[in-house]
Amino acid sequence: QSALTQPPSASGSPGQSVTISCTGTSSDFGAYDYVSWYQRHPGKAPQLMIYEVNKRPSGVPDRFSGSKSGNTASLTVSGLQAEDEADYYCSSYVGSNNFWVFGGGTKLTVL
Amino acid sequence: QLQLQESGPGLVKPSETLSLTCTVSGGSIRGSSYYWGWIRQPPGKGLEWIGSVYHSGNTSYNPSLKSRVIISADTSKNQVSLKLTSVTAADTAIYYCARVIVYGGHSGDYWGQGTLVSVSS
């Protein structure tokens, strides 16, 4: 069982917005706002989409945004495109011993 | 462009040691602003943090695996290695290596494609 809880699936039509939640406890998120989101297409390397809750690495479309409220982090994908269909994982850096915890992953389907 | 490639046996027998190597190209494993992590994903399950290593050799491990894991860095070969002892079927997983940036919220900005390791007799 993963430390962080994500819905197993999410879906939306092209052009729509979808939000994926990631829920944990205060200890799961630690003393930092170091929540990351990763996109993984089948057979491909995971790609960092969001770090430090709401920051985008260069090259990641601004359709992807992150937020956090209390013990729930969220990833929103706006203007859904077919290429966004993938698995998404949240992660939190807990702090002690460079330890990460992950969510179980959400399969995003573009209808 | 930094590239990471995991390599090692795809099949390991129960009770034996799983050994994987992550070869880094397009950049050096040395650096104070990042370190190197191993993550795995068992079939049908989520991602699990195994542990990490700095180029200096400083390591940290998931407490649930700590007694069986050794992660090391070889700066001369630009490689990071993972050894997991006394494996069982529960260790069957896709194993990933990743570069973790300290000043980016300790996030993994580069990942390998992963390598599937099955534990079976």
Side-chain angles (χ1 to χ4, degrees), chain B residues 28-84:
Chain B
S28 173
I29 68 168
R30 297 176 185 268
S32 59
S33 61
Y34 49 83
Y35 54 96
W36 306 88
W38 284 96
I39 302 100
R40 69 180 183 178
Q41 184 172 31
K45 297 186 178 181
L47 295 167
E48 179 183 34
W49 175 255
I50 300 172
S52 63
V53 64
Y54 283 87
H55 70 87
S56 61
N58 288 345
T59 55
S60 63
Y61 301 125
N62 185 325
S64 69
L65 298 170
K66 187 174 184 177
S67 64
R68 300 194 292 128
V69 175
I70 299 174
I71 296 175
S72 59
D74 187 334
T75 55
S76 66
K77 296 181 179 179
N78 223 37
Q79 293 177 334
V80 177
S81 297
L82 167 70
K83 292 188 187 301
L84 182 64

Side-chain angles (χ1 to χ4, degrees), chain B:
Chain B
Q1 177 82 346
L2 195 71
Q3 291 187 319
L4 286 67
Q5 180 67 57
E6 304 91 348
S7 60
L11 181 64
V12 181
K13 290 182 169 54
S15 80
E16 294 189 344
T17 296
L18 178 160
S19 296
L20 296 175
T21 298
C22 175
T23 300
V24 179
S25 58
S28 173
I29 68 168
R30 297 176 185 268
S32 59
S33 61
Y34 49 83
Y35 54 96
W36 306 88
W38 284 96
I39 302 100
R40 69 180 183 178
Q41 184 172 31
K45 297 186 178 181
L47 295 167
E48 179 183 34
W49 175 255
I50 300 172
S52 63
V53 64
Y54 283 87
H55 70 87
S56 61
N58 288 345
T59 55
S60 63
Y61 301 125
N62 185 325
S64 69
L65 298 170
K66 187 174 184 177
S67 64
R68 300 194 292 128
V69 175
I70 299 174
I71 296 175
S72 59
D74 187 334
T75 55
S76 66
K77 296 181 179 179
N78 223 37
Q79 293 177 334
V80 177
S81 297
L82 167 70
K83 292 188 187 301
L84 182 64
T85 63
S86 305
V87 298
T88 69
D91 295 310
T92 293
I94 298 174
Y95 286 77
Y96 296 97
C97 62
R99 188 180 82 164
V100 183
I101 45 175
V102 175
Y103 302 114
H106 291 261
S107 56
D109 62 344
Y110 288 94
W111 293 63
Q113 287 198 313
T115 186
L116 175 63
V117 179
S118 298
V119 178
S120 175
S121 55

Side-chain angles (χ1 to χ4, degrees), chain A residues 7-97:
Chain A
S9 63
S11 63
S13 299
Q16 289 187 330
S17 294
V18 65
T19 296
I20 300 170
S21 62
C22 171
T23 302
T25 66
S26 55
S27 60
D28 291 331
F29 290 111
Y32 314 92
D33 275 339
Y34 288 168
V35 177
S36 304
W37 289 90
Y38 301 92
Q39 176 193 69
R40 193 187 67 186
H41 289 104
K44 296 292 183 68
Q47 179 183 353
L48 179 66
M49 305 303 285
I50 296 287
Y51 67 98
E52 291 183 4
V53 175
N54 56 16
K55 297 178 181 178
R56 276 188 312 275
S58 61
V60 173
D62 60 6
R63 302 184 294 102
F64 291 85
S65 62
S67 63
K68 181 173 176 283
S69 178
N71 292 327
T72 298
S74 298
L75 173 72
T76 297
V77 186
S78 305
L80 273 174
Q81 299 183 4
E83 67 212 47
D84 300 332
E85 185 163 294
D87 294 326
Y88 291 84
Y89 295 88
C90 63
S91 172
S92 172
Y93 173 75
V94 176
S96 60
N97 296 319

